Amino acid sequence: MSENKIDNNCLSFCQPSEVDLQKRDFLVKATVATGAVGVAAVAVPFVGSMLPSERAKAAGAPVEVDISKLKPGEKMTAEWRGQPVWIVRRTPEMLAKLVKHDDQLSDPNLEVPQQPEYCKNKDRSIKPEYAVMLGTCTHLGCSPNDNFVETAEWPGGFVCPCHGSKFDLSGRVFKGSPAPKNLLIPPHQYLTDTTLLIGEDKKAEA
């Protein structure tokens, strides 16, 4: 009889109580949750590494721009290397004005290499309809304002509000401006009819 009592007591003592079972379940769940958080912590940086970083963009990573909604006579601004890039969709009338004031320009024949070779033409562009240029004055780095309204003295273009430098609709600088050079044209190419890639061109890919 005494042995049976001892065995029963032992069984009673060794069996886990309801509180112990709850603790065990809690510890299992906590361990699983901690593991999941650890996996997420590893996965997030991995996913992030597949996206272009701000540092990469600042260093000059190419930028895709959708120009499908840009209407004739309008301008939009993108950003590349931390600088504004203007895309102007020029009308036939705007393009016609570009050949009428060469004698007023500092560098009408584009002798200074402010544009890629494929943009060394009368329109300074790949497609005459679209002008692509850095919106930064070559004097002191200010950002000129749009002034597309033509007058008897002004064919339309850009005027720097800081020191009065003037540029035409191709970014060519007018004589007498403080700016010494035409606006810079960045390397670019068209991926599709409505998608522009700034910062990379076909020549660079070769």
Side-chain angles (χ1 to χ4, degrees):
M1 294 291 292
S2 60
E3 290 182 359
N4 290 337
K5 288 183 179 180
I6 293 173
D7 291 341
N8 290 336
N9 290 336
C10 180
L11 290 173
S12 176
F13 177 80
C14 294
Q15 288 179 351
S17 66
E18 184 178 350
V19 174
D20 291 333
L21 290 173
Q22 290 177 350
K23 286 183 179 180
R24 184 188 65 184
D25 291 343
F26 173 77
L27 289 174
V28 170
K29 291 177 181 179
T31 302
V32 171
T34 302
V37 170
V39 170
V42 172
V44 169
F46 177 75
V47 173
S49 68
M50 294 188 290
L51 303 174
S53 67
E54 292 302 321
R55 181 178 298 179
K57 290 179 182 179
V63 177
E64 286 190 23
V65 183
D66 180 5
I67 58 174
S68 61
K69 296 181 180 179
L70 188 62
K71 298 178 181 178
E74 291 184 345
K75 184 198 84 173
M76 65 182 293
T77 303
E79 184 179 348
W80 176 65
R81 289 186 173 180
Q83 300 185 66
V85 178
W86 294 338
I87 301 103
V88 182
R89 187 174 180 183
R90 297 176 292 200
T91 64
E93 293 75 21
M94 287 176 166
L95 290 170
K97 297 171 189 175
L98 294 176
V99 298
K100 296 181 179 180
H101 53 258
D102 281 7
D103 59 331
Q104 302 177 45
L105 303 174
S106 296
D107 184 18
N109 297 319
L110 313 179
E111 300 297 332
V112 181
Q114 286 290 96
Q115 60 282 313
E117 281 297 318
Y118 49 80
C119 289
K120 194 174 181 180
N121 50 51
K122 64 184 181 67
D123 305 313
R124 297 188 81 209
S125 63
I126 298 174
K127 297 182 178 183
E129 185 178 2
Y130 294 101
V132 181
M133 65 192 83
L134 254 60
T136 305
C137 182
T138 54
H139 179 219
L140 293 176
C142 306
S143 186
N145 295 329
D146 308 346
N147 188 352
F148 294 167
V149 180
E150 181 183 12
T151 65
E153 296 80 23
W154 176 245
F158 310 95
V159 180
C160 184
C162 302
H163 304 96
S165 293
K166 297 179 181 179
F167 305 87
D168 71 0
L169 290 166
S170 282
R172 298 178 296 177
V173 65
F174 282 89
K175 292 178 181 177
S177 296
K181 302 176 183 178
N182 297 331
L183 296 180
L184 184 68
I185 293 181
H188 63 280
Q189 62 179 294
Y190 291 88
L191 302 179
T192 68
D193 289 339
T194 59
T195 304
L196 179 67
L197 183 67
I198 301 171
E200 188 175 275
D201 54 29
K202 292 180 180 178
K203 183 177 180 182
E205 291 179 345

